[in-house]
Amino acid sequence: MCVILLARQGLDRAEKILSIASCLFTFAGFALSWLTWRRTAPALPEAPATTSSGPASVAVTGSSSGSIDAEASDVDTPQGTPAAPASGVHATGAGSVAVGGDNDGQIRTRVTGWRGKKP
């Protein structure tokens, strides 16, 4: 139907109509793509809370491809467990380690012989 309408207008006038129509469709396409991009922009994920508490404890939120060696001997353990934080990476306790993501390296911690003494 558009072809028949444009054929009756003549070549010069049909070319002008198509130029205007293509500009309008191009602008509409850019507007829709921009709106789609704005709505689908990914929000940065919040890192989960990572807590390691106690002597020589290790917590890794992501994956760990390295070796983990944790040792504690003859250490006083504090009474009670600290409350888990809402977010962030926290390590409490002698020789404890907390990693808030992926780990590719070796984790090594050792605590020995301070029972009854302040470190």
Side-chain angles (χ1 to χ4, degrees):
M1 187 162 146
C2 290
V3 174
I4 295 171
L5 178 69
L6 290 174
R8 292 185 181 173
Q9 298 298 319
L11 185 58
D12 188 45
R13 189 169 173 141
E15 182 182 9
K16 289 177 184 176
I17 292 172
L18 286 176
S19 294
I20 292 171
S22 67
C23 287
L24 292 175
F25 283 122
T26 301
F27 177 73
F30 281 132
L32 286 175
S33 65
W34 183 77
L35 288 173
T36 302
W37 173 75
R38 294 280 296 163
R39 290 181 187 211
T40 59
L44 295 176
E46 184 178 322
T50 304
T51 302
S52 174
S53 62
S57 61
V58 177
V60 179
T61 299
S63 62
S64 180
S65 60
S67 64
I68 297 175
D69 181 20
E71 177 186 330
S73 60
D74 204 20
V75 177
D76 285 334
T77 306
Q79 298 298 320
T81 304
S87 64
V89 178
H90 302 278
T92 58
S96 63
V97 178
V99 180
D102 295 333
N103 176 53
D104 295 330
Q106 182 180 19
I107 296 176
R108 201 169 217 187
T109 181
R110 181 181 306 218
V111 179
T112 58
W114 55 273
R115 179 179 291 268
K117 302 174 196 161
K118 289 276 186 188

